[in-house]
Amino acid sequence: MPISQYQNNYHTTYLDNLFNVISMVCVTGLSIAPISEIYNGIGQTISIILMQIGGLGLITLIAFGVFALQKKMNFAGHTLLQSALNRKDSKNLKEYLFFAYKTTIIIESLFGIIIMTDFIPRFGIKHGIFNSIFLTVSAFCNAGFDNFGSSSLNTFVLNPTINFSVSALIIFGGIGFAVWDDVIANLKRLFFSKPVGHGVFYKKLSNQTRLILQTTVIILFLGTLLTWYLEKDNPKTISNYTFPQQIMVSFFQTVTMRTAGFSTISFKDTFAPTNFIYMFQMIIGGGPGGTAGGIKVTTFAIAFLLIKSELVGQSLVTFSHRVIASKTVKQTISVLLFFFTIVVIGYTLLLSFEPNLDPFSLLFETISAMNTVGVTMDLTSKLSTQGRIIIMLLMFIGRVGPITFLFSLIQKKEKNINYAETDILVG
């Protein structure tokens, strides 16, 4: 609508705005033009609301309203909410939902204030507060949108306050509310119950929490190291910076590749091997039950443990002296197969409809959309109508999730069938 847009800067079609809205609700970050050039204050406020809804989930928002009004929810509603929150059972759903919303408000408020300390002197009180809220919500929801123009956060490439605040928001939002619930519950026991050592505290965490935390730390460490090593001699990215600055820039790109979509350097300038590594990071994504996309770190970790079990000759997949259920392993394989099938189909269609665009950049765009990351090699605005529709579908499927989308297509009850075993050679 005219009230939401600047009338003289950029003429948008209905498809352009639909593309942006899908990208916001799917917390991706791809757009046909910079948000600040299209939408005015009203449009950007709507954008904030869409990103927050997309990050927390529409189902959880409706359920929160029902609970806040002290209304009762039927069994079907509880089942739907349980699925949306990625919970194994429906126990204490109301308390967990309110915890997720309180955690969101506290984290966004805290880091919003920290970012304001930089933005208010820079932009003034009015725009400083608004820009801080916009960036905070976008970062926590892993949306990847900003209102600073086509350069994303390149202006803040050497700004520690923005780099580490946005990185923390991305990690805290993408790690999953189940992890926060587990960590906070154990911190309460640590400080308000009988004192225990930090080693014991870590062991008290659930295996899922430990798997997510361990995998996240490893990915961030290796990603930062690889980015620095591959780009340290690139004058267009980080070679002109000091070593601490190079590490900070490398760390930020590694964090944002876990489905956030921000950037402080141009991915047109990074070397091809670096972008190839970034594609793998985009595929992995964040934790289940959070605001991040991708196949999720648990899926990646279980796939790694499956390969490890084969290499060491174990018949079962294990983690921390516990056996991972065969059903979970099967779901892992299903997610991977379905995910890569959709990527191959989407990429093939883009190659067909966009023959004049760089194939490597198209692959980067495909994986970015499917994993709701939102980074681009400056390709989104060059896509044809057919190309944009494909990207919109990929963003939608990526946000809904491979398992959810697959189960919505094949809704059949689980059957236990016992047949005689047979041997088939593989590899």
Side-chain angles (χ1 to χ4, degrees):
M1 298 177 66
I3 59 169
S4 302
Q5 300 188 26
Y6 293 117
Q7 297 302 302
N8 299 323
N9 287 11
Y10 194 94
H11 176 69
T12 57
T13 64
Y14 179 82
L15 183 66
D16 294 335
N17 290 289
L18 178 63
F19 186 98
N20 289 341
V21 168
I22 289 177
S23 186
M24 291 171 189
V25 175
C26 295
V27 289
T28 303
L30 295 174
S31 61
I32 48 89
I35 295 301
S36 61
E37 295 180 9
I38 302 175
Y39 304 117
N40 56 26
I42 296 175
Q44 291 182 30
T45 302
I46 295 172
S47 300
I48 293 174
I49 295 171
L50 290 172
M51 289 187 292
Q52 192 75 81
I53 291 174
L56 294 174
L58 184 60
I59 300 299
T60 66
L61 184 67
I62 295 172
F64 182 83
V66 171
F67 288 137
L69 294 172
Q70 298 183 342
K71 301 290 184 180
K72 291 185 178 181
M73 185 177 291
N74 58 25
F75 178 77
H78 272 278
T79 303
L80 188 61
L81 179 60
Q82 177 186 331
S83 175
L85 291 172
N86 202 31
R87 299 277 286 179
K88 292 182 179 179
D89 54 58
S90 59
K91 184 180 179 181
N92 299 325
L93 270 183
K94 180 179 178 180
E95 290 77 8
Y96 182 78
L97 177 64
F98 276 74
F99 164 80
Y101 273 71
K102 284 190 292 185
T103 303
T104 299
I105 293 171
I106 291 171
I107 293 175
E108 288 184 351
S109 299
L110 175 62
F111 283 97
I113 292 172
I114 294 174
I115 293 174
M116 284 179 196
T117 62
D118 183 278
F119 278 8
I120 289 178
R122 187 186 299 269
F123 300 109
I125 295 179
K126 181 180 177 181
H127 287 92
I129 293 175
F130 183 83
N131 291 346
S132 299
I133 294 172
F134 191 102
L135 183 61
T136 299
V137 172
S138 180
F140 183 79
C141 293
N142 283 218
F145 282 98
D146 63 77
N147 55 350
F148 302 119
S150 59
S151 61
S152 186
L153 300 181
N154 291 19
T155 307
F156 308 97
V157 61
L158 299 180
N159 187 316
T161 302
I162 303 305
N163 272 261
F164 292 115
S165 295
V166 172
S167 296
L169 283 164
I170 293 168
I171 294 171
F172 291 160
I175 208 168
F177 293 112
V179 173
W180 278 106
D181 187 32
D182 193 17
V183 169
I184 291 175
N186 281 279
L187 283 174
K188 289 179 180 178
R189 296 191 192 100
L190 177 64
F191 291 107
F192 299 107
S193 300
K194 184 178 179 180
V196 295
H198 294 289
V200 177
F201 164 76
Y202 185 72
K203 291 180 180 179
K204 290 289 185 180
L205 297 173
S206 69
N207 282 323
Q208 172 163 315
T209 298
R210 283 191 282 169
L211 183 63
I212 291 172
L213 292 177
Q214 287 181 24
T215 309
T216 299
V217 170
I218 292 171
I219 291 170
L220 291 178
F221 175 77
L222 292 179
T224 302
L225 185 63
L226 286 170
T227 298
W228 170 78
Y229 179 76
L230 293 171
E231 293 294 320
K232 61 184 175 64
D233 297 321
N234 187 347
K236 294 183 179 180
T237 55
I238 66 173
S239 70
N240 297 323
Y241 302 145
T242 64
F243 178 71
Q245 291 173 338
Q246 290 177 350
I247 294 298
M248 181 178 68
V249 176
S250 300
F251 174 73
F252 185 87
Q253 311 315 315
T254 299
V255 171
T256 195
M257 282 300 166
R258 301 179 65 248
T259 80
F262 296 103
S263 64
T264 55
I265 57 177
S266 173
F267 299 114
K268 285 179 63 179
D269 297 331
T270 48
F271 293 137
T274 308
N275 286 337
F276 194 68
I277 294 294
Y278 286 159
M279 290 184 199
F280 280 100
Q281 294 176 356
M282 287 190 275
I283 291 170
I284 295 170
T291 60
I295 61 173
K296 303 297 187 291
V297 291
T298 46
T299 303
F300 171 76
I302 292 172
F304 175 81
L305 292 172
L306 174 60
I307 296 172
K308 178 185 174 183
S309 67
E310 288 295 320
L311 293 176
V312 300
Q314 291 181 344
S315 59
L316 299 171
V317 181
T318 62
F319 172 73
S320 189
H321 305 293
R322 294 291 186 274
V323 175
I324 297 175
S326 60
K327 180 180 179 181
T328 304
V329 177
K330 289 179 182 178
Q331 284 185 339
T332 298
I333 297 172
S334 298
V335 168
L336 292 172
L337 288 175
F338 182 74
F339 173 86
F340 284 108
T341 299
I342 296 297
V343 168
V344 169
I345 293 173
Y347 181 51
T348 303
L349 290 173
L350 283 177
L351 287 174
S352 301
F353 290 122
E354 311 292 348
N356 298 321
L357 297 180
D358 177 49
F360 186 79
S361 300
L362 282 174
L363 179 61
F364 193 87
E365 191 92 0
T366 302
I367 293 177
S368 175
M370 182 63 183
N371 295 283
T372 68
V373 181
V375 290
T376 178
M377 296 174 69
D378 294 338
L379 196 73
T380 309
S381 60
K382 301 175 184 177
L383 293 173
S384 63
T385 300
Q386 295 92 332
R388 293 181 185 180
I389 292 173
I390 293 168
I391 293 296
M392 285 190 284
L393 290 173
L394 289 172
M395 289 190 291
F396 178 80
I397 296 172
R399 183 52 185 160
V400 170
I403 279 289
T404 305
F405 189 80
L406 184 61
F407 285 175
S408 69
L409 297 178
I410 310 173
Q411 294 189 6
K412 294 183 179 180
K413 293 182 178 179
E414 184 176 342
K415 297 179 181 179
N416 293 320
I417 303 175
N418 294 314
Y419 291 127
E421 290 186 359
T422 183
D423 291 328
I424 298 176
L425 298 177
V426 295

